[in-house]
Amino acid sequence: MSDSTGHGSSMWESDGFKPPRLPKSAPRVRLAILSGPGKGQTVELTRCVSVIGSRRGCKLQLKSADISAVHCAIVNSGDEVYLRDLVSSTGTYLNDLKAQFEKLEDGDTVRVADWELRVHVSAYTLDTLSDLPHVSLEPGADAFGVEVNGSGEMIRLERPVGLVGRKQGCDVVVNDSKISRAHMLLFSYSGQPVFCDLLSNNGVMMNDERIAFGNLHSGDRLMLGSVPLRMILPGVGRRKPQSSAPSSNGTSKSATPSTPPAKSSFASNSGTGTVIQPLDDDASDRIDIRAAEVDR
């Protein structure tokens, strides 16, 4: 079954969209529905990316013809909270002004179609050091650079949260029919550069494996549709080559080291980086509000 954009169902629809849960040191974010269907409900945003849209798997699934499949996202970097419109068809409004990318503050209002949402942001106070393992001690990226399809040209992201997709208005526009209009986000989470798939239909491939969320190193190559992207991250070292391991047929295989970055002003420093592991979550934390019987 396809949605209104003409794409098929996402592989993440059955299990939901679950980026890592936030550490206790991150700001706490809640959305109160002030108007529209579901008025009076409060939604706790416990993950680093919370997608609002009509597609199954969104954190806040709003079923209306005026809501895009993935309409907007609230990104919690562990320090700051941002609102990012995902090149939606009817727009996202912050405090009654049309917004593309903005930092969120306590008391802000976000409007999408018939819904008005009040944003509540509060900070945790840590009593122990138990939360420190979630915070990277490695240097973070000084900037995000993306090379598309081996062009030799680097696109430098100018915002803390970058949007990659095939629709004009994305920070990195990739013209390929297999790529969703809003395909993935690039940002820093707990000091680590990461990517997050936006419930896209064909996903993000890294090292021949489809991954919804992962940390990035200089020289990493991501495949979106048939288009390769190479990450250029100053201040972040290249990924360590994996050691040989037996495959399912008993033979040994080794991961191919990342191709060295091309010479540019974004030459990387040495380092390793820290893998961010999603935390287990047995219960669904998605909210489904049906505004109209529409076939999305």
Side-chain angles (χ1 to χ4, degrees), residues 36 61 70-71 138 141 165 174 211 223 238 255 284 296:
Q61 186 183 12
V70 288
H71 195 100
E138 298 289 339
V174 184
I211 299 175
M223 184 68 70
R238 293 173 55 198
S284 171
R296 301 296 288 176

Side-chain angles (χ1 to χ4, degrees), residues 235-253:
V236 179
R238 293 173 55 198
R239 188 179 298 274
K240 283 185 176 180
Q242 297 179 0
S243 58
S244 297
S247 64
S248 57
N249 61 7
T251 61
S252 295
K253 60 181 180 179

Side-chain angles (χ1 to χ4, degrees), residues 142-143 154 156 232-235 262-269:
D142 300 324
M154 184 196 64
R156 177 170 177 164
I232 305 170
L233 305 170
K263 292 182 179 179
S264 71
S265 59
F266 280 119
S268 63
N269 298 325

Side-chain angles (χ1 to χ4, degrees), residues 29 31 45 48-52 72-76 81-83 104:
V29 183
L31 298 180
L45 306 185
C48 63
V49 176
S50 299
V51 176
I52 298 172
C72 63
I74 294 177
V75 178
N76 192 331
V81 183
Y82 301 103
L83 172 69
L104 288 176

